[in-house]
């Protein structure tokens, strides 16, 4: 079994164990959040030994060649000496809370002002730090080119540590820290005529709201179809704004969808799961660009179905909102 060297100590990995699990089992605290190889909170660097390719998936090429990897999905294949990613890579940026307003019964819109210039693309995500070190990922719904403050859309989960804290305790004027931006789920100009399908559930609308407006701002001329799914009609939000966008742009179509269970209150929303409604309406996705955000099951299933319906894997961009598996209010981060 490979041995991991960290901070001059040797740690023996158990069979199939990740670097994060191994270090944690030995009482070493490493910052982490999603623990699914998505959020990059647990970014480390191999200074001896090569991390497996799976542990580098989604990292920039420049980071991959320097043997950066995500500890939560790194099952080492050889002995490695590892360090936490340096502050130059994982720079903590101060943000001030500018606003907090409801978008629905359990969804809040948060505005943040970075203390220094922050370069990002709408649809990427940031990792937001609570003062005690708890960290969670949130997608960016704002448009930098319009000089909008950073906008997050946060669903308050019953008992959710970060989201209930945001609802109950975080106030306008508070100073918090973020890291990022992270992710490749954003609009890439260059193929203005390509058709685009976006499917999101719940606050999976946050990145899509950014991506759609960015594409329209940049003069995208192909069809842009947005399917937003919710269990009940209460979970549909930004409906008026999306309808207004639809009226302003002939190539943009917005389809709110509500599950069978919420059919009685659905209003003019379509009944059915957003991914299934989208596939029924557009069964041939050859040459389409696809964005999928929100519930991890929907994202995984729809990714496969979009591929089977003809979309190229390189044209599918996905952000599964995986929930944190453990209490990670780690004090180890700096
Ligand atoms: C890349 C990425 C982007 C994300 N973007 C956003 C975003 O823009 N907006 C947003 O609101 N969230 C987003 N998330 C999810 C977010 O990071 C947090 O996981 C979420 O806010 C819950 O954190 P919490 O600390 O409040 O809950 P925790 O204290 O971590 O508790 C979450 C627990 O709630 C339970 N749970 C899971 N799903 C549900 C559910 N649907 N209803 C009720 N309980 C549930 C699970 O048992 C889970 O362990 C994103 C996640 C990722 C990975």
């Amino acid at each position: 079994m490979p041995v991991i060297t960290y901070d001059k100590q040797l740690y023996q990995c158990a069979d199939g164990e990740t670097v994060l699990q191994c270090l944690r089992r030995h009482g070493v605290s490493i910052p982490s959040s999603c623990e699914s190889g998505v959020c990059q909170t647990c970014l480390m660097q191999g200074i001896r030994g090569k991390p497996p390719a799976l542990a580098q998936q989604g990292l920039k090429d420049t980071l991959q060649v320097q043997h950066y990897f995500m500890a939560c999905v790194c099952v080492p294949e050889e002995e490695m000496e590892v360090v936490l990613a340096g502050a130059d890579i994982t720079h903590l940026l101060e943000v001030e809370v500018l606003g907090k307003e409801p978008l629905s019964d359990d969804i809040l819109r948060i505005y943040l002002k970075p203390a220094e210039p922050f370069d990002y693309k709408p649809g990427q995500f940031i990792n937001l730090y609570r003062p005690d070190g708890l960290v969670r990922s949130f997608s960016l719904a704002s448009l930098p080119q319009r000089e909008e403050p950073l906008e997050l859309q946060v669903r308050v989960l019953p008992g959710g540590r970060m989201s209930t804290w945001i609802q109950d305790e975080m106030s306008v004027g508070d100073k918090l820290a973020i890291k990022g931006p992270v992710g490749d789920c954003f609009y890439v100009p260059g193929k203005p005529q390509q058709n685009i399908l976006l499917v999101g559930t719940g606050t999976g609308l946050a990145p899509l709201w950014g991506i759609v407006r960015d594409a329209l701002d940049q003069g995208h001329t192909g069809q842009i179809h947005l399917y937003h799914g919710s269990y009940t009609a209460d979970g549909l939000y930004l409906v008026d704004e999306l309808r207004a966008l639809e009226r302003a742009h002939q190539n943009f179509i917005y389809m709110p969808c509500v599950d069978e269970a919420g059919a009685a209150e659905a209003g003019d929303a379509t009944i059915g799961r957003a991914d299934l409604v989208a596939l029924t309406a557009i069964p041939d996705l050859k040459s389409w660009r696809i964005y999928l955000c929100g519930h991890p099951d929907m994202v995984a299933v729809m990714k496969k179905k979009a591929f089977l319906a003809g979309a190229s894997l390189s044209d599918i961009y996905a952000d599964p909102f995986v929930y944190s598996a453990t209490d990670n209010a780690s004090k180890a981060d700096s």
Side-chain angles (χ1 to χ4, degrees):
M1 249 39 87
V3 172
I4 299 296
T5 308
Y6 174 73
D7 203 14
K8 300 194 184 104
Q9 302 291 319
L10 303 185
Y11 301 101
Q12 177 84 57
C13 273
D15 196 17
E17 201 171 41
T18 64
V19 170
L20 182 68
Q21 288 165 338
C22 171
L23 293 176
R24 185 181 284 152
R25 182 166 57 80
H26 289 95
V28 181
S29 181
I30 299 293
S32 69
S33 183
C34 79
E35 299 189 17
S36 309
V38 178
C39 75
Q40 301 182 15
T41 304
C42 61
L43 195 65
M44 298 190 89
Q45 186 182 18
I47 52 174
R48 191 164 46 81
K50 196 173 177 308
L54 179 73
Q56 297 191 300
Q57 246 177 33
L59 296 183
K60 288 182 203 150
D61 293 352
T62 47
L63 295 182
Q64 293 194 14
V65 294
Q66 295 175 77
H67 292 179
Y68 282 92
F69 65 94
M70 287 164 286
C72 66
V73 285
C74 180
V75 178
E77 290 164 354
E78 56 187 86
E79 295 204 359
M80 291 181 77
E81 182 168 354
V82 300
V83 292
L84 274 176
D88 51 333
I89 300 290
T90 61
H91 175 58
L92 270 178
L93 175 67
E94 186 183 275
V95 290
E96 180 182 340
V97 181
L98 284 189
K100 177 164 111 169
E101 62 189 39
L103 280 170
S104 75
D105 280 355
D106 62 355
I107 296 174
L108 293 168
R109 182 181 237 166
I110 308 297
Y111 293 113
L112 303 172
K113 183 178 165 207
E116 52 188 90
F118 181 65
D119 190 19
Y120 71 96
K121 304 264 193 302
Q124 286 189 293
F125 64 92
I126 52 160
N127 289 314
L128 177 73
Y129 285 71
R130 210 169 62 172
D132 67 355
L134 185 79
V135 52
R136 293 287 182 265
S137 307
F138 294 102
S139 304
L140 291 160
S142 39
L143 300 188
Q145 66 267 33
R146 293 197 195 172
E147 297 185 3
E148 296 173 345
L150 304 184
E151 177 186 337
L152 314 181
Q153 297 167 8
V154 177
R155 173 152 185 242
V156 181
L157 291 177
R161 285 159 290 172
M162 179 67 96
S163 55
T164 57
W165 176 81
I166 288 174
Q167 180 186 47
D168 301 335
E169 293 178 49
M170 192 194 80
S171 306
V172 171
D174 282 359
K175 304 270 172 58
L176 302 172
I178 63 167
K179 271 185 192 174
V182 190
D184 64 356
C185 203
F186 54 81
Y187 178 71
V188 185
K191 290 187 186 166
Q193 283 149 4
Q194 187 175 25
N195 292 331
I196 299 181
L197 169 67
L198 310 99
V199 184
T201 53
T203 45
L205 182 60
L208 303 185
W209 170 242
I211 293 166
V212 165
R213 293 185 307 136
D214 194 21
L216 292 170
D217 258 20
Q218 298 204 42
H220 195 85
T221 52
Q223 293 288 307
I224 303 177
H225 294 228
L226 168 64
Y227 289 78
H228 182 215
S230 171
Y231 292 120
T232 63
D234 292 350
L236 297 173
Y237 64 100
L238 294 176
V239 175
D240 293 345
E241 290 86 342
L242 285 160
R243 290 280 184 228
L245 213 55
E246 208 176 23
R247 285 192 296 277
H249 297 272
Q250 269 194 340
N251 61 330
F252 174 56
I253 292 174
Y254 162 58
M255 291 288 283
C257 303
V258 167
D259 276 20
E260 290 288 342
E265 315 288 332
D268 64 354
T270 303
I271 310 300
R273 275 179 34 193
D275 51 341
L276 300 181
V277 175
L279 279 169
T280 307
I282 318 169
D284 182 1
L285 288 170
K286 187 162 182 294
S287 311
W288 283 65
R289 197 186 312 175
I290 322 278
Y291 293 92
L292 308 169
C293 298
H295 198 289
D297 294 346
M298 183 285 286
V299 170
V301 169
M302 183 62 190
K303 194 170 175 179
K304 270 192 209 139
K305 289 192 173 168
F307 174 67
L308 294 174
S312 155
L313 275 183
S314 61
D315 271 334
I316 305 178
Y317 300 85
D319 256 351
F321 284 10
V322 279
Y323 290 91
S324 217
T326 53
D327 183 356
N328 54 34
S330 162
K331 309 291 187 302
D333 203 10
S334 55

